[in-house]
Amino acid sequence: MKHRQPLPPDMFDELCPSSLVPFRFGDKWAALILRCLEGGPRRFSELRVPLHRVTPKVLTQSLRRLERDGLVSRAVHADPRPGVEYALTPLGRSMLEPMDAACAWAAEHWDELIDAREQYTAP
Amino acid sequence: MKHRQPLPPDMFDELCPSSLVPFRFGDKWAALILRCLEGGPRRFSELRVPLHRVTPKVLTQSLRRLERDGLVSRAVHADPRPGVEYALTPLGRSMLEPMDAACAWAAEHWDELIDAREQYTAP
DNA sequence: CAGAATCCGTTTAGATACTG
DNA sequence: CAGTATCTAAACGGATTCTG
């Protein structure tokens, strides 16, 4: 009872937007950044505290990518005090849900993944 | 009404397994491969049909990574006909759910993401 | 404050050709 | 059938230093 269902001739026609999945969910710091912005707009220097393990250059790169894809907005302020504020756009906020699902899965199966890696020996 | 909640001092302590998210969900072909295996075990040559846009080398690389992390099993057969069969492990199958959520999000917001990109102009 | 400049190393992808 | 070999290229991340 194998090979029950036939496969489509081209998986890309079937699930084309799935190319966005590795692209957006593959960003190494995106999940962390989005979560930092969940509670409201933050300045660059504010983000650097919880993300102090990310160098400013890399943090900027990630923010730029998120901005480019419309997930995060960037606003330069001068009024209260000069600074730049990043915030989630509605689109960015909508991504929190599938991202949470992914994080929950990762947290739940963390041990299994680590174990599998340790037991694995290259062919 | 900004900056409502204070941010943690280190986001990595809060959400450490989230580093697995970009790692596993960032694999460019993983989503497609997992879906091809959803209906049962498949041979390498069977996978090459729906994934004909992926070169055999890259397909092998992706399969190896999935195998290493315990998401896919690899079995060499000789009985009915010689061949190698790939199948989802229970762990791999458990990843379909968050992956589906991610794919659904990507499909739903595909247009917005594309639009945002086109409108974006580098700083 | 919010980054940019520079340099570097690793990881992945892709094309092409070939093999036990 | 199920890959491997080789080469190329790009993307990404990281460390360090510097600046409007």
Side-chain angles (χ1 to χ4, degrees):
Chain A
M1 219 174 300
K2 296 173 177 181
H3 308 173
R4 283 146 269 191
Q5 303 145 11
L7 290 169
D10 190 346
M11 212 59 191
F12 291 84
D13 294 342
E14 293 274 311
L15 283 157
C16 206
S18 67
S19 63
L20 278 180
V21 173
F23 189 83
R24 273 270 41 110
F25 289 73
D27 191 314
K28 193 168 177 182
W29 310 114
L32 264 4
I33 293 174
L34 293 186
R35 211 169 291 268
C36 285
L37 295 175
E38 200 173 359
R42 307 283 181 178
R43 302 166 168 255
F44 190 79
S45 51
E46 270 182 294
L47 291 174
R48 289 200 60 184
V49 177
L51 301 171
H52 62 89
R53 302 203 207 191
V54 191
T55 62
K57 190 202 99 173
V58 173
L59 182 54
T60 301
Q61 281 180 347
S62 283
L63 284 167
R64 286 283 184 282
R65 278 196 294 271
L66 291 168
E67 195 194 347
R68 181 195 55 182
D69 289 350
L71 302 168
V72 160
S73 64
R74 179 179 181 275
V76 183
H77 290 290
D79 21 352
R81 211 174 351 147
V84 179
E85 266 189 349
Y86 293 95
L88 286 181
T89 63
L91 182 57
R93 192 165 293 278
S94 78
M95 206 180 107
L96 284 172
E97 201 176 341
M99 189 63 95
D100 281 347
C103 286
W105 178 85
E108 194 180 344
H109 300 283
W110 170 274
D111 293 340
E112 295 170 70
L113 284 157
I114 301 301
D115 286 355
R117 279 227 185 169
E118 286 176 356
Q119 286 174 10
Y120 181 76
T121 50
Chain B
M1 216 174 300
K2 297 171 174 182
H3 308 173
R4 283 146 268 190
Q5 305 145 12
L7 290 169
D10 190 345
M11 211 60 192
F12 291 84
D13 294 342
E14 294 273 311
L15 282 156
C16 205
S18 67
S19 63
L20 277 181
V21 173
F23 190 82
R24 274 270 40 112
F25 289 74
D27 191 312
K28 195 167 177 183
W29 309 115
L32 264 3
I33 293 174
L34 293 186
R35 211 169 291 268
C36 285
L37 295 175
E38 200 174 358
R42 307 282 180 178
R43 300 165 170 256
F44 190 79
S45 51
E46 270 183 294
L47 291 174
R48 289 200 61 185
V49 177
L51 300 171
H52 62 90
R53 302 204 207 190
V54 191
T55 63
K57 191 203 99 176
V58 172
L59 182 54
T60 301
Q61 281 179 346
S62 283
L63 284 167
R64 288 281 184 282
R65 279 195 296 270
L66 291 167
E67 195 194 347
R68 180 196 57 184
D69 289 350
L71 303 168
V72 159
S73 65
R74 179 179 182 275
V76 183
H77 291 291
D79 20 354
R81 213 174 348 151
V84 179
E85 267 190 347
Y86 293 94
L88 287 181
T89 63
L91 182 57
R93 192 165 292 278
S94 78
M95 208 181 106
L96 284 173
E97 201 175 342
M99 189 65 94
D100 281 347
C103 287
W105 178 86
E108 194 179 345
H109 301 282
W110 170 274
D111 293 341
E112 297 170 69
L113 284 157
I114 301 301
D115 287 355
R117 280 225 185 170
E118 286 177 355
Q119 286 173 10
Y120 181 75
T121 51

